[in-house]
Amino acid sequence: MPLLEVERLTAGYGEAVVLEEMSLSVDDGEGLAVLGRNGVGKTTLMLAIMGHARRLSGSLRWQGTEIGGTPAYQRARMGLGWVPQERDIFPSLTVEENLLVAGRPGAFGLKDAYDLFPRLKERRRNMGDKLSGGEQQMLAICRTLMTNPRLLLLDEPFEGLAPVIVEELEATLRRLRAEKGFATVIVEQHAEDALALSDRAIVLDRGKIVLEGRSADLLADFAQVRRWIAV
Ligand SMILES: Nc1ncnc2c1ncn2[C@@H]1O[C@H](COP(=O)(O)OP(=O)(O)O)[C@@H](O)[C@H]1O
Ligand SMILES: [Mg+2]
């Protein structure tokens, strides 16, 4: 049974339909990349999975249980962890407080966050709004990891970051998946980075899946991906 199964999901905002009859699944421990140009519905897909966009029809199953009507806070408790595109760090809390407010019992705790990103430990008494973009992203990822999710959803985690930081984050995400065995869904504009980090990928265009396959195959024949994502 897949960890997450999305079946013919139609979703959007108010009366506006953004995703049309979308179906996909993520297995336990699997990495899925979601690619596509700006405005095709990648963030909306994440919001719909987390319960923050309006589901008009279709179903969402988590470990076989329908969660289409389950409120967002309960989905988070069930093990769906989301790192939003805006990062949403609490500006007036310290790094450590940002981590601790999110914490839920499990294998990943404060020490793991600091082991993962020693820079966060160095800055643990800094206020959230005094961090660089890269540090904010590290904090946003760790804050979600502190909830000990089974599935980690990352929305453009590399956006606006220097290449050296992107490399560091990529290495960390790869290691985390190997060591902790959780599943990831990563939305990225940097398609090649996302493919290198995932097992499988889907490419969206105007709210629909237009291409899907094994990441290694899509990397090997990148021209067909580029056709959908080139601006
Ligand atoms: N809160 C909202 N209300 C209405 N429409 C929205 C909202 N957020 C996004 N949209 C629209 O939904 C479409 C998909 O947006 P989005 O999911 O953010 O795309 P992506 O993440 O792929 O760039 C766009 O046309 C966008 O204008
Ligand atoms: Mg987006």
Side-chain angles (χ1 to χ4, degrees):
M1 179 202 306
L3 182 63
L4 174 73
E5 201 167 14
V6 175
E7 200 180 344
R8 302 184 69 177
L9 175 70
T10 297
Y13 309 93
E15 297 303 309
V17 171
V18 176
L19 305 177
E20 274 183 78
E21 303 222 333
M22 188 168 290
S23 298
L24 61 96
S25 69
V26 184
D27 287 334
D28 222 346
E30 191 179 36
L32 177 75
V34 180
L35 310 176
R37 294 186 185 101
N38 243 326
V40 295
K42 304 182 299 297
T43 295
T44 304
L45 174 60
M46 296 234 157
L47 292 172
I49 291 171
M50 292 308 298
H52 297 294
R54 180 158 182 225
R55 181 182 58 111
L56 296 158
S57 63
S59 91
L60 285 160
R61 281 187 296 277
W62 176 249
Q63 296 175 289
T65 303
E66 178 62 46
I67 57 161
T70 304
Y73 74 92
Q74 271 179 16
R75 295 190 204 188
R77 281 189 196 158
M78 293 168 124
L80 287 115
W82 172 49
V83 182
Q85 197 164 2
E86 305 76 26
R87 295 164 192 166
D88 288 345
I89 302 298
F90 297 117
S92 57
L93 296 185
T94 64
V95 166
E96 190 148 307
E97 287 164 346
N98 265 282
L99 291 169
L100 291 175
V101 290
R104 267 201 300 272
F108 193 96
L110 198 57
K111 183 178 179 302
D112 301 281
Y114 290 156
D115 286 348
L116 202 55
F117 296 117
R119 203 154 350 160
L120 290 182
K121 187 173 185 184
E122 286 161 27
R123 309 225 172 228
R124 67 186 182 280
R125 300 196 201 293
N126 279 46
M127 291 299 174
D129 59 359
K130 296 289 184 297
L131 302 176
S132 70
E135 290 161 355
Q136 282 183 31
Q137 191 58 273
M138 291 171 198
L139 179 55
I141 291 171
C142 282
R143 200 179 48 177
T144 303
L145 291 174
M146 292 285 287
T147 70
N148 280 285
R150 289 277 297 275
L151 172 66
L152 183 65
L153 300 153
L154 298 153
D155 196 347
E156 301 208 25
F158 308 136
E159 191 184 15
L161 302 183
V164 49
I165 306 283
V166 171
E167 269 172 40
E168 188 181 335
L169 279 176
E170 282 184 354
T172 304
L173 288 173
R174 202 170 274 127
R175 189 154 51 88
L176 265 176
R177 271 194 55 217
E179 285 173 9
K180 312 269 180 195
F182 52 60
T184 52
V185 176
I186 183 167
V187 165
E188 255 306 318
Q189 297 273 344
H190 302 92
E192 282 165 293
D193 288 322
L195 288 171
L197 271 174
S198 56
D199 304 305
R200 247 177 349 107
I202 57 174
V203 183
L204 308 190
D205 191 48
R206 289 183 236 172
K208 290 188 172 157
I209 297 174
V210 290
L211 182 65
E212 60 183 306
R214 312 244 9 124
S215 300
D217 296 340
L218 294 174
L219 265 178
D221 185 9
F222 195 66
Q224 56 168 339
V225 178
R226 194 180 293 120
R227 211 166 43 142
W228 289 108
I229 62 172
V231 261

